[in-house]
């Protein structure tokens, strides 16, 4: 399970990030933060970054680095400045500069961090437990109602702005829906579930508008909310952790990514642990899973 770190506090006014927008719509931000982890083998770095006014609250995120050479000499605890580049579907950081070293490190979540009782993590082949939610239409939803179908589920919160996190999950689901609905001879026993882990804000009406913005077909793609205790339980069973690093900035939620495919028998068929998968990958996996007899 990927570890998460607490988000940092917003920096002083003299450190306020500056945003720019190019003619192509690409946005750039000058940002400061503290390094939490360096992953040179993946060309990634985890940073507890300051708030970006008008775009994103302070939180801890794993960023892709375009030039892996820029990770040389960077280590956990270093205070850095960098340029964040955001396009419609992608985002990365570049021009990394070390400001100081041995900064106060950002701690991992405590091992005993739980909102609910401990739950057993799910693995491929395990039966999916029964959960009850409310969809974007305000209707009760039970996983038991979808036995006999191949189901994909992922987790988001609608206020997440960075394109490679929640927005990528939603766009991948949108691409998978288009692929499955437009390909000849595709099985019809499939369904997509997007579960919010920000139920206080993501009410059914908010999810309904979000669904419309992504062209969701309610026959095949549902957006779910529910009691935080249930959302937390299913998220943790699926390997996803989330929390607000700063309660004064409720829109900022630190989290990892997890997507699962469940076969018609109700068993875990495949787990996508990060964001390096596409809508086509998901569509192919759902088609494969749908062929299993319930």
């Amino acid at each position: 399970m990927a570890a998460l770190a607490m988000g940092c506090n917003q920096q002083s006014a003299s450190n306020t990030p500056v945003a720019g927008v190019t003619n192509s719509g690409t946005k750039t931000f000058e940002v400061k933060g503290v390094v939490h982890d360096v992953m040179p083998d993946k060309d990634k770095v985890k940073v507890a970054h300051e708030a970006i006014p008008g775009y994103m609250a302070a939180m801890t995120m794993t960023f892709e680095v375009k030039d892996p050479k820029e990770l040389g000499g960077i280590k956990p605890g270093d205070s850095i400045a960098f340029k964040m580049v955001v396009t419609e579907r992608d985002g990365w950081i570049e021009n990394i500069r070390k400001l100081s070293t041995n900064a106060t490190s950002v701690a991992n979540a405590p091992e005993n961090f739980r909102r609910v009782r401990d739950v057993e993590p799910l693995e491929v082949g395990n039966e999916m437990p029964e959960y009850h939610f409310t969809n974007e239409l305000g209707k009760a939803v039970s996983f038991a109602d979808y036995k006999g179908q191949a189901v994909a589920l992922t987790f988001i919160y609608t206020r997440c702005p960075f394109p490679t996190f929640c927005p990528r999950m939603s766009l991948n689901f949108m691409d998978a829906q288009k692929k499955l609905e437009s390909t000849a001879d595709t099985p019809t026993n499939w369904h997509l579930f997007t579960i919010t882990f920000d139920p206080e804000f993501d009410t059914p009406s908010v999810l309904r508008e979000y669904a419309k913005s992504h062209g969701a077909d309610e026959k095949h793609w549902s957006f779910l909310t529910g009691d935080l205790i249930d959302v937390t339980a299913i998220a943790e069973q699926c390997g996803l952790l989330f929390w607000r690093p700063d309660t004064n900035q409720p829109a900022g939620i630190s989290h990892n990514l997890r997507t699962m495919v469940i076969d018609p028998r109700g068993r875990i068929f495949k787990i996508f642990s990060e964001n390096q998968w596409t809508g086509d990958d998901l569509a192919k996996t759902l088609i494969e899973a749908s062929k299993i007899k319930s």
Side-chain angles (χ1 to χ4, degrees):
M1 183 182 298
L4 291 178
M6 303 285 277
C8 65
N9 293 325
Q10 185 171 351
Q11 303 297 310
S12 63
S14 61
N15 291 330
T16 300
V18 177
V21 181
T22 68
N23 291 334
S24 63
T26 298
K27 299 178 181 178
T28 62
F29 304 90
E30 291 294 335
V31 188
K32 293 183 178 70
V34 177
V35 176
H36 179 74
D37 192 14
V38 182
M39 296 159 273
D41 57 324
K42 297 181 179 180
D43 300 340
K44 294 181 179 181
V45 61
K46 183 179 289 185
V47 181
H49 66 77
E50 63 189 351
I52 304 174
Y55 183 69
M56 184 163 54
M59 65 183 78
T60 297
M61 302 178 66
T62 298
F63 295 105
E64 295 182 11
V65 179
K66 282 296 183 181
D67 183 359
K69 294 180 181 178
E70 294 186 3
L71 294 177
I74 300 295
K75 61 183 182 299
D78 285 348
S79 179
I80 61 173
F82 54 90
K83 180 185 292 185
M84 177 192 293
V85 183
V86 179
T87 67
E88 181 180 3
R89 287 198 172 213
D90 203 2
W92 63 90
I93 66 173
E94 57 188 38
N95 193 22
I96 301 172
R97 294 95 66 198
K98 183 159 64 173
L99 302 177
S100 63
T101 190
N102 297 324
T104 301
S105 183
V106 181
N108 279 328
E111 288 297 323
N112 62 353
F113 173 77
R114 287 291 185 274
R115 296 186 187 86
V116 295
R117 65 184 184 280
D118 285 347
V119 290
E120 290 297 322
L122 293 169
E123 299 178 351
V124 171
N126 290 164
E127 185 173 356
M128 187 69 192
E130 176 66 344
Y131 283 97
H132 299 269
F133 295 102
T134 300
N135 69 12
E136 76 279 10
L137 303 176
K139 298 180 179 178
V141 171
S142 167
F143 285 165
D145 296 336
Y146 291 84
K147 285 289 183 69
Q149 297 194 49
V151 170
L153 64 88
T154 196
F155 301 87
I156 68 151
Y157 72 108
T158 62
R159 292 185 286 181
C160 179
F162 200 72
T164 61
F165 279 71
C166 301
R168 178 170 290 183
M169 299 300 97
S170 297
L171 289 174
N172 282 354
F173 267 41
M174 183 176 71
D175 292 344
Q177 176 187 254
K178 290 179 180 177
K179 182 78 171 181
L180 290 164
E181 291 184 336
S182 64
T183 303
D185 301 323
T186 297
T188 58
N189 60 326
W190 59 271
H191 201 88
L192 308 175
F193 285 122
T194 296
I195 303 173
T196 178
F197 47 82
D198 187 15
E200 183 176 352
F201 181 85
D202 290 337
T203 61
S205 61
V206 170
L207 292 175
R208 187 162 57 250
E209 292 304 312
Y210 190 84
K212 289 179 181 178
S213 71
H214 286 78
D217 178 354
E218 65 184 57
K219 295 179 181 178
H220 282 298
W221 188 1
S222 301
F223 291 75
L224 307 182
T225 186
D227 293 336
L228 185 59
I229 190 171
D230 293 325
V231 172
T232 304
I234 187 174
E236 290 192 3
Q237 284 204 274
C238 292
L240 182 133
L241 291 179
F242 63 93
W243 70 88
R244 289 179 170 84
D246 185 349
T247 56
N248 293 320
Q249 298 185 51
I253 303 178
S254 292
H255 64 94
N256 58 346
L257 298 170
R258 197 67 88 242
T259 302
M260 285 189 166
V261 174
I262 305 163
D263 70 29
R265 302 171 300 173
R267 297 187 178 276
I268 307 301
F269 184 78
K270 187 176 179 64
I271 301 172
F272 295 98
S273 62
E274 295 185 24
N275 60 4
Q276 300 303 308
W277 54 275
T278 66
D280 281 351
D281 295 331
L282 180 60
K284 291 175 183 178
T285 302
L286 280 167
I287 291 172
E288 186 179 354
S290 71
K291 298 176 182 177
I292 295 176
K293 300 296 183 181
S294 58

